[in-house]
Amino acid sequence: MSKSWHAYAHHILDVAAKIDRIQARGDLTQDEVLYDAALRNLQTLSEATQLLPDNLKLKFPTIPWREISGFRNILVHNYLGDIDALTVQSVIDCHLPPLIVCVHDMLAADDSSDT
């Protein structure tokens, strides 16, 4: 398997860690600067998921890849006006942890196939 996707996988993990650091600074539902920072990082994380190979994503059907892509479009284009901070917090709390586990699993599976 091509190693080119590894950079995107690591970027996802780096951005997720950055979002954790943003949350450690305060409540993003109450702080506009933290909220904006979290939105920007969710956008880049979502973009990176689009660059993971489809055949690899198929191995992880519990991750809502299409919805992540759609969420990215909402973040970038702001189709619906202001995005609700509580929804963003929920995405971070509920959907980011399984994605992090998935990306770690992707990398680990690829590393074990190299040996």
Side-chain angles (χ1 to χ4, degrees):
M1 179 175 279
S2 171
K3 298 288 185 183
S4 62
W5 64 270
H6 284 170
Y8 303 114
H10 286 290
H11 179 69
I12 292 165
L13 298 175
D14 292 344
V15 170
K18 192 181 291 186
I19 291 170
D20 282 344
R21 292 192 301 275
I22 290 166
Q23 288 186 294
R25 290 179 177 238
D27 184 351
L28 66 87
T29 66
Q30 301 298 314
D31 185 311
E32 183 178 272
V33 173
L34 296 178
Y35 176 69
D36 286 347
L39 281 181
R40 173 67 178 130
N41 282 283
L42 284 172
Q43 175 190 334
T44 62
L45 180 147
S46 299
E47 289 173 2
T49 66
Q50 294 175 343
L51 299 169
L52 297 172
D54 288 336
N55 64 328
L56 188 57
K57 290 191 281 190
L58 286 172
K59 296 178 183 178
F60 298 90
T62 60
I63 301 299
W65 300 109
R66 244 189 154 142
E67 288 81 359
I68 293 170
S69 198
F71 187 63
R72 177 254 176 224
N73 291 338
I74 291 169
L75 292 174
V76 171
H77 301 292
N78 202 9
Y79 293 135
L80 304 174
D82 290 333
I83 300 165
D84 181 279
L86 293 175
T87 300
V88 171
Q89 185 67 59
S90 177
V91 166
I92 291 169
D93 293 342
C94 299
H95 299 289
L96 202 52
L99 179 63
I100 293 166
V101 170
C102 170
V103 172
H104 278 294
D105 290 349
M106 286 177 170
L107 290 165
D110 193 60
D111 286 344
S112 68
S113 70
D114 288 344
T115 57

